PDB file of all heavy atoms in Angstrom:
ATOM      1  N   ALA V   1       4.241  -3.958   1.381  1.00 92.00           N
ATOM      2  CA  ALA V   1       3.271  -5.174   1.421  1.00 92.00           C
ATOM      3  C   ALA V   1       2.453  -5.085   2.692  1.00 92.00           C
ATOM      4  O   ALA V   1       2.962  -4.952   3.725  1.00 92.00           O
ATOM      5  CB  ALA V   1       4.058  -6.450   1.363  1.00 92.00           C
ATOM      6  N   VAL V   2       1.080  -5.146   2.472  1.00 92.00           N
ATOM      7  CA  VAL V   2       0.194  -5.074   3.611  1.00 92.00           C
ATOM      8  C   VAL V   2      -0.544  -6.460   3.653  1.00 92.00           C
ATOM      9  O   VAL V   2      -1.247  -6.882   2.748  1.00 92.00           O
ATOM     10  CB  VAL V   2      -0.904  -3.941   3.294  1.00 92.00           C
ATOM     11  CG1 VAL V   2      -1.853  -3.879   4.501  1.00 92.00           C
ATOM     12  CG2 VAL V   2      -0.114  -2.625   3.106  1.00 92.00           C
ATOM     13  N   TYR V   3      -0.376  -7.077   4.840  1.00 89.00           N
ATOM     14  CA  TYR V   3      -0.979  -8.349   5.085  1.00 89.00           C
ATOM     15  C   TYR V   3      -2.148  -8.238   5.981  1.00 89.00           C
ATOM     16  O   TYR V   3      -2.240  -7.391   6.883  1.00 89.00           O
ATOM     17  CB  TYR V   3       0.083  -9.229   5.914  1.00 89.00           C
ATOM     18  CG  TYR V   3       1.228  -9.806   4.989  1.00 89.00           C
ATOM     19  CD1 TYR V   3       2.251  -9.017   4.747  1.00 89.00           C
ATOM     20  CD2 TYR V   3       1.110 -11.070   4.455  1.00 89.00           C
ATOM     21  CE1 TYR V   3       3.388  -9.425   4.022  1.00 89.00           C
ATOM     22  CE2 TYR V   3       2.271 -11.538   3.742  1.00 89.00           C
ATOM     23  CZ  TYR V   3       3.308 -10.742   3.459  1.00 89.00           C
ATOM     24  OH  TYR V   3       4.332 -11.276   2.759  1.00 89.00           O
ATOM     25  N   VAL V   4      -3.117  -9.196   5.739  1.00 84.00           N
ATOM     26  CA  VAL V   4      -4.264  -9.403   6.642  1.00 84.00           C
ATOM     27  C   VAL V   4      -4.222 -10.819   7.127  1.00 84.00           C
ATOM     28  O   VAL V   4      -3.704 -11.645   6.375  1.00 84.00           O
ATOM     29  CB  VAL V   4      -5.644  -9.040   6.028  1.00 84.00           C
ATOM     30  CG1 VAL V   4      -5.684  -7.601   5.701  1.00 84.00           C
ATOM     31  CG2 VAL V   4      -5.862  -9.877   4.822  1.00 84.00           C
ATOM     32  N   GLY V   5      -4.752 -11.135   8.266  1.00 72.00           N
ATOM     33  CA  GLY V   5      -4.709 -12.483   8.776  1.00 72.00           C
ATOM     34  C   GLY V   5      -5.762 -13.433   8.085  1.00 72.00           C
ATOM     35  O   GLY V   5      -5.510 -14.551   7.916  1.00 72.00           O
ATOM     36  N   SER V   6      -6.927 -12.816   7.777  1.00 69.00           N
ATOM     37  CA  SER V   6      -7.927 -13.618   7.099  1.00 69.00           C
ATOM     38  C   SER V   6      -8.692 -12.598   6.265  1.00 69.00           C
ATOM     39  O   SER V   6      -8.703 -11.375   6.327  1.00 69.00           O
ATOM     40  CB  SER V   6      -8.809 -14.261   8.114  1.00 69.00           C
ATOM     41  OG  SER V   6      -9.452 -13.320   8.861  1.00 69.00           O
ATOM     42  N   GLY V   7      -9.455 -13.177   5.350  1.00 67.00           N
ATOM     43  CA  GLY V   7     -10.292 -12.398   4.393  1.00 67.00           C
ATOM     44  C   GLY V   7      -9.544 -12.139   3.173  1.00 67.00           C
ATOM     45  O   GLY V   7      -8.269 -12.142   3.095  1.00 67.00           O
ATOM     46  N   PRO V   8     -10.187 -11.920   1.998  1.00 68.00           N
ATOM     47  CA  PRO V   8      -9.578 -11.763   0.689  1.00 68.00           C
ATOM     48  C   PRO V   8      -8.963 -10.498   0.409  1.00 68.00           C
ATOM     49  O   PRO V   8      -8.158 -10.397  -0.599  1.00 68.00           O
ATOM     50  CB  PRO V   8     -10.732 -12.071  -0.194  1.00 68.00           C
ATOM     51  CG  PRO V   8     -11.881 -11.593   0.476  1.00 68.00           C
ATOM     52  CD  PRO V   8     -11.644 -11.867   1.977  1.00 68.00           C
ATOM     53  N   ASN V   9      -9.259  -9.407   1.087  1.00 78.00           N
ATOM     54  CA  ASN V   9      -8.882  -8.043   0.548  1.00 78.00           C
ATOM     55  C   ASN V   9      -8.057  -7.266   1.602  1.00 78.00           C
ATOM     56  O   ASN V   9      -8.581  -6.617   2.493  1.00 78.00           O
ATOM     57  CB  ASN V   9     -10.193  -7.257   0.251  1.00 78.00           C
ATOM     58  CG  ASN V   9     -10.903  -7.864  -0.807  1.00 78.00           C
ATOM     59  OD1 ASN V   9     -10.390  -8.248  -1.864  1.00 78.00           O
ATOM     60  ND2 ASN V   9     -12.222  -7.967  -0.682  1.00 78.00           N
ATOM     61  N   PRO V  10      -6.717  -7.318   1.480  1.00 84.00           N
ATOM     62  CA  PRO V  10      -5.884  -6.494   2.350  1.00 84.00           C
ATOM     63  C   PRO V  10      -6.190  -5.071   2.049  1.00 84.00           C
ATOM     64  O   PRO V  10      -6.516  -4.621   0.946  1.00 84.00           O
ATOM     65  CB  PRO V  10      -4.517  -6.842   1.908  1.00 84.00           C
ATOM     66  CG  PRO V  10      -4.656  -8.168   1.221  1.00 84.00           C
ATOM     67  CD  PRO V  10      -5.982  -8.148   0.564  1.00 84.00           C
ATOM     68  N   PRO V  11      -6.054  -4.170   3.128  1.00 84.00           N
ATOM     69  CA  PRO V  11      -6.288  -2.760   2.923  1.00 84.00           C
ATOM     70  C   PRO V  11      -5.327  -2.092   2.010  1.00 84.00           C
ATOM     71  O   PRO V  11      -4.160  -2.519   1.896  1.00 84.00           O
ATOM     72  CB  PRO V  11      -6.237  -2.186   4.273  1.00 84.00           C
ATOM     73  CG  PRO V  11      -5.418  -3.130   5.029  1.00 84.00           C
ATOM     74  CD  PRO V  11      -5.619  -4.438   4.484  1.00 84.00           C
ATOM     75  N   ASP V  12      -5.682  -0.942   1.393  1.00 87.00           N
ATOM     76  CA  ASP V  12      -4.855  -0.223   0.519  1.00 87.00           C
ATOM     77  C   ASP V  12      -3.982   0.685   1.385  1.00 87.00           C
ATOM     78  O   ASP V  12      -4.369   0.993   2.540  1.00 87.00           O
ATOM     79  CB  ASP V  12      -5.654   0.703  -0.437  1.00 87.00           C
ATOM     80  CG  ASP V  12      -6.216  -0.117  -1.542  1.00 87.00           C
ATOM     81  OD1 ASP V  12      -5.573  -0.985  -2.077  1.00 87.00           O
ATOM     82  OD2 ASP V  12      -7.418   0.260  -2.047  1.00 87.00           O
ATOM     83  N   VAL V  13      -2.850   1.187   0.870  1.00 93.00           N
ATOM     84  CA  VAL V  13      -2.078   2.164   1.527  1.00 93.00           C
ATOM     85  C   VAL V  13      -2.701   3.517   1.340  1.00 93.00           C
ATOM     86  O   VAL V  13      -3.100   3.908   0.161  1.00 93.00           O
ATOM     87  CB  VAL V  13      -0.633   2.186   0.993  1.00 93.00           C
ATOM     88  CG1 VAL V  13       0.140   3.325   1.520  1.00 93.00           C
ATOM     89  CG2 VAL V  13       0.060   0.933   1.316  1.00 93.00           C
ATOM     90  N   SER V  14      -2.970   4.273   2.440  1.00 93.00           N
ATOM     91  CA  SER V  14      -3.680   5.591   2.298  1.00 93.00           C
ATOM     92  C   SER V  14      -2.579   6.643   2.047  1.00 93.00           C
ATOM     93  O   SER V  14      -2.819   7.566   1.348  1.00 93.00           O
ATOM     94  CB  SER V  14      -4.260   5.935   3.618  1.00 93.00           C
ATOM     95  OG  SER V  14      -5.319   5.021   3.901  1.00 93.00           O
ATOM     96  N   SER V  15      -1.410   6.566   2.654  1.00 96.00           N
ATOM     97  CA  SER V  15      -0.348   7.509   2.447  1.00 96.00           C
ATOM     98  C   SER V  15       0.991   7.102   2.792  1.00 96.00           C
ATOM     99  O   SER V  15       1.141   6.132   3.622  1.00 96.00           O
ATOM    100  CB  SER V  15      -0.644   8.802   3.240  1.00 96.00           C
ATOM    101  OG  SER V  15      -0.558   8.528   4.650  1.00 96.00           O
ATOM    102  N   VAL V  16       2.038   7.617   2.227  1.00 98.00           N
ATOM    103  CA  VAL V  16       3.445   7.411   2.454  1.00 98.00           C
ATOM    104  C   VAL V  16       4.027   8.868   2.605  1.00 98.00           C
ATOM    105  O   VAL V  16       3.966   9.642   1.631  1.00 98.00           O
ATOM    106  CB  VAL V  16       4.153   6.628   1.249  1.00 98.00           C
ATOM    107  CG1 VAL V  16       5.598   6.532   1.545  1.00 98.00           C
ATOM    108  CG2 VAL V  16       3.422   5.270   1.117  1.00 98.00           C
ATOM    109  N   VAL V  17       4.465   9.178   3.719  1.00 98.00           N
ATOM    110  CA  VAL V  17       4.941  10.576   4.101  1.00 98.00           C
ATOM    111  C   VAL V  17       6.332  10.510   4.773  1.00 98.00           C
ATOM    112  O   VAL V  17       6.487   9.716   5.728  1.00 98.00           O
ATOM    113  CB  VAL V  17       3.863  11.209   5.082  1.00 98.00           C
ATOM    114  CG1 VAL V  17       4.333  12.660   5.493  1.00 98.00           C
ATOM    115  CG2 VAL V  17       2.490  11.179   4.412  1.00 98.00           C
ATOM    116  N   GLY V  18       7.090  11.438   4.351  1.00 98.00           N
ATOM    117  CA  GLY V  18       8.403  11.624   5.065  1.00 98.00           C
ATOM    118  C   GLY V  18       9.498  12.249   4.114  1.00 98.00           C
ATOM    119  O   GLY V  18       9.439  12.335   2.966  1.00 98.00           O
ATOM    120  N   ASN V  19      10.512  12.771   4.818  1.00 97.00           N
ATOM    121  CA  ASN V  19      11.738  13.307   4.147  1.00 97.00           C
ATOM    122  C   ASN V  19      11.471  14.481   3.261  1.00 97.00           C
ATOM    123  O   ASN V  19      12.320  14.816   2.423  1.00 97.00           O
ATOM    124  CB  ASN V  19      12.436  12.183   3.299  1.00 97.00           C
ATOM    125  CG  ASN V  19      12.661  10.922   4.154  1.00 97.00           C
ATOM    126  OD1 ASN V  19      11.947  10.005   3.909  1.00 97.00           O
ATOM    127  ND2 ASN V  19      13.524  10.916   5.042  1.00 97.00           N
ATOM    128  N   GLY V  20      10.396  15.167   3.480  1.00 97.00           N
ATOM    129  CA  GLY V  20      10.072  16.349   2.663  1.00 97.00           C
ATOM    130  C   GLY V  20       9.835  15.968   1.137  1.00 97.00           C
ATOM    131  O   GLY V  20       9.919  16.807   0.288  1.00 97.00           O
ATOM    132  N   ILE V  21       9.478  14.723   0.919  1.00 97.00           N
ATOM    133  CA  ILE V  21       9.263  14.212  -0.470  1.00 97.00           C
ATOM    134  C   ILE V  21       7.762  13.931  -0.590  1.00 97.00           C
ATOM    135  O   ILE V  21       7.174  13.323   0.377  1.00 97.00           O
ATOM    136  CB  ILE V  21      10.068  12.894  -0.693  1.00 97.00           C
ATOM    137  CG1 ILE V  21      11.531  13.131  -0.515  1.00 97.00           C
ATOM    138  CG2 ILE V  21       9.705  12.305  -2.034  1.00 97.00           C
ATOM    139  CD1 ILE V  21      12.396  11.857  -0.556  1.00 97.00           C
ATOM    140  N   THR V  22       7.201  14.287  -1.766  1.00 97.00           N
ATOM    141  CA  THR V  22       5.739  13.875  -1.989  1.00 97.00           C
ATOM    142  C   THR V  22       5.912  12.537  -2.785  1.00 97.00           C
ATOM    143  O   THR V  22       6.492  12.420  -3.816  1.00 97.00           O
ATOM    144  CB  THR V  22       5.145  14.870  -2.910  1.00 97.00           C
ATOM    145  OG1 THR V  22       5.089  16.156  -2.317  1.00 97.00           O
ATOM    146  CG2 THR V  22       3.760  14.472  -3.306  1.00 97.00           C
ATOM    147  N   TYR V  23       5.326  11.514  -2.084  1.00 97.00           N
ATOM    148  CA  TYR V  23       5.278  10.124  -2.621  1.00 97.00           C
ATOM    149  C   TYR V  23       4.019   9.992  -3.393  1.00 97.00           C
ATOM    150  O   TYR V  23       2.890  10.171  -2.930  1.00 97.00           O
ATOM    151  CB  TYR V  23       5.478   9.121  -1.533  1.00 97.00           C
ATOM    152  CG  TYR V  23       6.831   9.210  -0.870  1.00 97.00           C
ATOM    153  CD1 TYR V  23       6.981   9.843   0.367  1.00 97.00           C
ATOM    154  CD2 TYR V  23       7.938   8.554  -1.411  1.00 97.00           C
ATOM    155  CE1 TYR V  23       8.264   9.873   0.968  1.00 97.00           C
ATOM    156  CE2 TYR V  23       9.204   8.663  -0.962  1.00 97.00           C
ATOM    157  CZ  TYR V  23       9.333   9.241   0.397  1.00 97.00           C
ATOM    158  OH  TYR V  23      10.578   9.399   0.979  1.00 97.00           O
ATOM    159  N   THR V  24       4.101   9.364  -4.589  1.00 96.00           N
ATOM    160  CA  THR V  24       3.013   9.227  -5.527  1.00 96.00           C
ATOM    161  C   THR V  24       2.874   7.690  -5.786  1.00 96.00           C
ATOM    162  O   THR V  24       3.891   7.106  -6.115  1.00 96.00           O
ATOM    163  CB  THR V  24       3.180   9.993  -6.821  1.00 96.00           C
ATOM    164  OG1 THR V  24       3.292  11.376  -6.508  1.00 96.00           O
ATOM    165  CG2 THR V  24       2.060   9.815  -7.720  1.00 96.00           C
ATOM    166  N   ALA V  25       1.637   7.146  -5.744  1.00 95.00           N
ATOM    167  CA  ALA V  25       1.345   5.785  -6.072  1.00 95.00           C
ATOM    168  C   ALA V  25       1.756   5.487  -7.489  1.00 95.00           C
ATOM    169  O   ALA V  25       1.353   6.257  -8.408  1.00 95.00           O
ATOM    170  CB  ALA V  25      -0.009   5.413  -5.702  1.00 95.00           C
ATOM    171  N   ILE V  26       2.391   4.404  -7.757  1.00 94.00           N
ATOM    172  CA  ILE V  26       2.698   3.945  -9.096  1.00 94.00           C
ATOM    173  C   ILE V  26       1.801   2.794  -9.471  1.00 94.00           C
ATOM    174  O   ILE V  26       1.172   2.800 -10.462  1.00 94.00           O
ATOM    175  CB  ILE V  26       4.157   3.433  -9.338  1.00 94.00           C
ATOM    176  CG1 ILE V  26       5.180   4.568  -9.034  1.00 94.00           C
ATOM    177  CG2 ILE V  26       4.379   2.808 -10.608  1.00 94.00           C
ATOM    178  CD1 ILE V  26       6.679   4.094  -9.006  1.00 94.00           C
ATOM    179  N   VAL V  27       1.728   1.838  -8.592  1.00 91.00           N
ATOM    180  CA  VAL V  27       0.901   0.613  -8.855  1.00 91.00           C
ATOM    181  C   VAL V  27       0.667  -0.138  -7.553  1.00 91.00           C
ATOM    182  O   VAL V  27       1.289   0.009  -6.490  1.00 91.00           O
ATOM    183  CB  VAL V  27       1.642  -0.389  -9.871  1.00 91.00           C
ATOM    184  CG1 VAL V  27       2.921  -0.929  -9.126  1.00 91.00           C
ATOM    185  CG2 VAL V  27       0.830  -1.382 -10.459  1.00 91.00           C
ATOM    186  N   SER V  28      -0.526  -0.900  -7.593  1.00 88.00           N
ATOM    187  CA  SER V  28      -0.886  -1.745  -6.431  1.00 88.00           C
ATOM    188  C   SER V  28      -1.273  -3.095  -7.113  1.00 88.00           C
ATOM    189  O   SER V  28      -2.083  -3.047  -8.126  1.00 88.00           O
ATOM    190  CB  SER V  28      -2.082  -1.085  -5.682  1.00 88.00           C
ATOM    191  OG  SER V  28      -2.571  -1.915  -4.725  1.00 88.00           O
ATOM    192  N   THR V  29      -0.882  -4.082  -6.540  1.00 83.00           N
ATOM    193  CA  THR V  29      -1.343  -5.489  -7.078  1.00 83.00           C
ATOM    194  C   THR V  29      -2.739  -5.812  -6.501  1.00 83.00           C
ATOM    195  O   THR V  29      -3.190  -5.345  -5.553  1.00 83.00           O
ATOM    196  CB  THR V  29      -0.355  -6.525  -6.716  1.00 83.00           C
ATOM    197  OG1 THR V  29      -0.349  -6.799  -5.359  1.00 83.00           O
ATOM    198  CG2 THR V  29       1.033  -6.214  -7.189  1.00 83.00           C
ATOM    199  N   ALA V  30      -3.274  -6.862  -7.152  1.00 73.00           N
ATOM    200  CA  ALA V  30      -4.472  -7.531  -6.606  1.00 73.00           C
ATOM    201  C   ALA V  30      -4.035  -8.325  -5.366  1.00 73.00           C
ATOM    202  O   ALA V  30      -2.856  -8.519  -5.142  1.00 73.00           O
ATOM    203  CB  ALA V  30      -5.117  -8.402  -7.638  1.00 73.00           C
ATOM    204  N   SER V  31      -5.007  -8.756  -4.669  1.00 77.00           N
ATOM    205  CA  SER V  31      -4.661  -9.550  -3.353  1.00 77.00           C
ATOM    206  C   SER V  31      -3.893 -10.879  -3.779  1.00 77.00           C
ATOM    207  O   SER V  31      -4.194 -11.511  -4.789  1.00 77.00           O
ATOM    208  CB  SER V  31      -5.942  -9.965  -2.623  1.00 77.00           C
ATOM    209  OG  SER V  31      -5.555 -10.668  -1.514  1.00 77.00           O
ATOM    210  N   ILE V  32      -2.804 -11.131  -3.053  1.00 74.00           N
ATOM    211  CA  ILE V  32      -1.909 -12.275  -3.326  1.00 74.00           C
ATOM    212  C   ILE V  32      -1.968 -13.166  -2.101  1.00 74.00           C
ATOM    213  O   ILE V  32      -1.901 -12.538  -0.969  1.00 74.00           O
ATOM    214  CB  ILE V  32      -0.504 -11.839  -3.701  1.00 74.00           C
ATOM    215  CG1 ILE V  32      -0.465 -10.913  -4.851  1.00 74.00           C
ATOM    216  CG2 ILE V  32       0.376 -12.996  -3.869  1.00 74.00           C
ATOM    217  CD1 ILE V  32       0.812 -10.173  -4.955  1.00 74.00           C
TER     218      ILE V  32
END
């Protein structure tokens, strides 16, 4: 979950890296 203090659009996740695993995006929600 990525929070912003103000504004309607929290930033997207650019990457998830670690453990010698390739992490692939499944889904991202609209701003909540």
Side-chain angles (χ1 to χ4, degrees):
V2 181
Y3 286 83
V4 292
S6 62
N9 296 313
D12 286 324
V13 171
S14 301
S15 66
V16 175
V17 178
N19 309 105
I21 298 171
T22 300
Y23 294 100
T24 302
I26 298 173
V27 68
S28 174
T29 65
S31 182
I32 305 165

